[in-house]
Amino acid sequence: MTAKEVCEALNISRQTLYAYVSRGKVRASAQKSDARKSLYHTHDVDALIANKKRGRSRRAIAKSTQNFGEPVLKSEISHIDQGKLYYKGQDAIKLSQTKTFEDIAKLLINVDLEPDVDQKFDLIKGRNSFERMFAATAEITISKNTPPNKNTNSFIIKRLLAAICNTNTLSDEPIHMQLAKYFSDSIDFIDVTRRCLVLCADHELNPSAYTARIAASTDARTPACILAALSTFSGTKHGSMTSMARWWVGRATMKDDHQEAAFIKTIKSPPGFGHPIYAQTDPRTQELLKHFEIPEGWERISRHVSKTYKIYPNLDFSLAAMEKSFKLRPKTGQTLFAFGRLLGWIAHAEEQRKNGALIRPRSWN
């Protein structure tokens, strides 16, 4: 929305609008056609209108906890401001240009992931890498042999890495290189994997991170918090959206011009497009798509969807495009997403545990 449209919708002055922006109530992004002008997030404006209408009764607040509303929890792990993602106050996009998974582990959870080529792991059964990651997390959760204290997080990360790569030993190479070599023979995929892991590390209080915090608030062990988060992540509205995006965009590219337009209009929220947090394109998507060749027809579909629905590609789109471009096995994008996000889940669990508060909402009827 333009400034004029926002002011008319909220019946406020330009000065009040700017005050809302400075306090984070309304997000602003520069217009692509004119960087001197701003557009304002429609979702934020709608939320302010809804707040005014419903007041602040307990029932109204409870109802607002769903769909990108409250609760709002204080966190120092990551935040999104003016369409940019930050980890511990550092620009995540800039971090992804040079940093590794190990660097972000040090930043978010203060863990040094030193190589340990002598450590042995049991092989995990599973049809694909994501299933093996899931199974390994469940195994650690019920095991009594997890190392205590600061070694726990390092052990969990290495155990899941071994499960994903279907091996019982790890090399002394950087983690992104081990993953890239397992999934692809392409040298170009090595750096793309590094960038992918960094960009996926955390994203405010997304559903899986919030689930990890709920588990941690009950004093559940870290592996149990990760298992809870991973279960949430597996849903089709979260991590599994990557596979859905690959299928849907792939289908769309197979249509002729007339069929393509009709196909796109059959669904208002195509998988891989739109994100309520961002007024325009997900910055993680923009950055990742710069570093590999977008599959034939995918850019055309992206433009068509954006023109039809005014929604833009999100992280699921870029991960699905990555899978297609490098001819990767199914679930690879979802697995890399989850493994990168592992750092965020651990960080949120630890932060909530230090907070000491039990997360226990009330219901209403």
Side-chain angles (χ1 to χ4, degrees):
M1 300 175 71
T2 64
K4 181 180 178 181
E5 290 170 337
V6 174
C7 290
E8 290 177 352
L10 295 174
N11 192 26
I12 58 174
S13 65
R14 290 286 182 105
Q15 288 74 20
T16 301
L17 171 59
Y18 301 148
Y20 282 173
V21 172
S22 67
R23 296 201 297 269
K25 289 187 175 183
V26 178
R27 286 162 288 168
S29 301
Q31 288 191 32
K32 290 184 178 180
S33 58
D34 188 348
R36 296 169 300 176
K37 297 181 180 180
S38 295
L39 289 174
Y40 301 88
H41 204 308
T42 303
H43 176 82
D44 296 342
V45 177
D46 290 342
L48 287 172
I49 293 172
N51 279 338
K52 287 182 179 181
K53 288 181 178 179
R54 70 170 179 256
R56 303 299 292 166
S57 68
R58 173 180 288 184
R59 177 177 295 187
I61 293 173
K63 191 173 182 179
S64 75
T65 62
Q66 302 178 59
N67 193 24
F68 292 85
E70 297 169 280
V72 178
L73 300 181
K74 180 176 175 58
S75 176
E76 296 181 357
I77 300 167
S78 70
H79 74 280
I80 300 163
D81 184 35
Q82 304 290 309
K84 292 185 177 181
L85 173 63
Y86 298 89
Y87 299 156
K88 296 274 187 169
Q90 298 186 46
D91 190 320
I93 303 303
K94 291 182 179 178
L95 289 172
S96 73
Q97 293 166 359
T98 59
K99 301 301 182 181
T100 64
F101 180 90
E102 289 87 342
D103 293 328
I104 305 304
K106 183 65 176 177
L107 175 66
L108 295 185
I109 59 176
N110 194 28
V111 167
D112 291 311
L113 293 172
E114 297 294 336
D116 186 356
V117 295
D118 296 325
Q119 194 167 15
K120 303 294 182 182
F121 303 98
D122 293 333
L123 291 177
I124 294 289
K125 293 182 179 180
R127 291 174 298 177
N128 57 57
S129 54
F130 186 73
E131 284 188 3
R132 292 194 299 273
M133 181 180 181
F134 216 127
T137 305
E139 176 196 77
I140 299 171
T141 301
I142 62 175
S143 173
K144 297 181 180 180
N145 298 321
T146 306
N149 304 324
K150 65 179 182 180
N151 295 322
T152 301
N153 294 336
S154 177
F155 172 81
I156 292 171
I157 291 168
K158 292 175 182 177
R159 179 69 189 99
L160 298 191
L161 174 62
I164 290 169
C165 295
N166 201 24
T167 182
N168 55 13
T169 59
L170 298 175
S171 75
D172 59 358
E173 293 179 314
I175 285 175
H176 71 272
M177 193 171 292
Q178 294 183 61
L179 286 165
K181 288 183 176 180
Y182 172 73
F183 285 118
S184 174
D185 294 328
S186 170
I187 295 177
D188 294 335
F189 187 56
I190 294 174
D191 189 59
V192 171
T193 301
R194 181 191 61 76
R195 294 172 185 273
C196 174
L197 293 175
V198 174
L199 291 171
C200 290
D202 198 44
H203 200 237
E204 280 195 346
L205 288 173
N206 56 85
S208 55
Y210 187 51
T211 303
R213 295 187 78 110
I214 292 174
S217 78
T218 70
D219 206 26
R221 294 170 61 239
T222 299
C225 297
I226 296 171
L227 184 60
L230 196 56
S231 298
T232 302
F233 178 86
S234 69
T236 57
K237 293 183 179 180
H238 199 349
S240 291
M241 186 66 77
T242 297
S243 298
M244 294 172 63
R246 180 173 179 174
W247 174 85
W248 188 87
V249 179
R251 285 287 302 275
T253 60
M254 297 169 62
K255 311 292 183 181
D256 60 32
D257 291 346
H258 177 71
Q259 292 174 328
E260 179 181 298
F263 183 74
I264 288 174
K265 289 182 179 179
T266 59
I267 180 170
K268 291 185 177 180
S269 298
F273 293 88
H275 199 302
I277 294 293
Y278 300 107
Q280 297 186 29
T281 304
D282 184 330
R284 301 167 297 173
T285 302
Q286 287 181 316
E287 182 61 24
L288 194 56
L289 290 176
K290 293 177 183 177
H291 302 286
F292 60 85
E293 185 176 350
I294 300 176
E296 183 179 356
W298 282 53
E299 195 167 0
R300 185 187 73 250
I301 298 301
S302 174
R303 290 196 302 268
H304 199 156
V305 171
S306 298
K307 182 178 180 180
T308 303
Y309 294 116
K310 299 298 186 291
I311 55 176
Y312 305 91
N314 58 30
L315 183 61
D316 298 302
F317 177 92
S318 58
L319 293 174
M322 178 188 73
E323 275 192 1
K324 179 74 173 177
S325 178
F326 287 100
K327 299 180 174 61
L328 303 174
R329 306 166 201 169
K331 301 286 186 178
T332 299
Q334 182 178 355
T335 302
L336 292 176
F337 188 175
F339 190 78
R341 185 58 55 85
L342 179 61
L343 297 180
W345 294 334
I346 294 172
H348 279 283
E350 291 188 341
E351 187 178 62
Q352 186 62 40
R353 195 175 287 115
K354 289 178 182 178
N355 176 280
L358 177 66
I359 299 176
R360 203 291 190 186
R362 296 294 307 278
S363 64
W364 64 279
N365 53 45

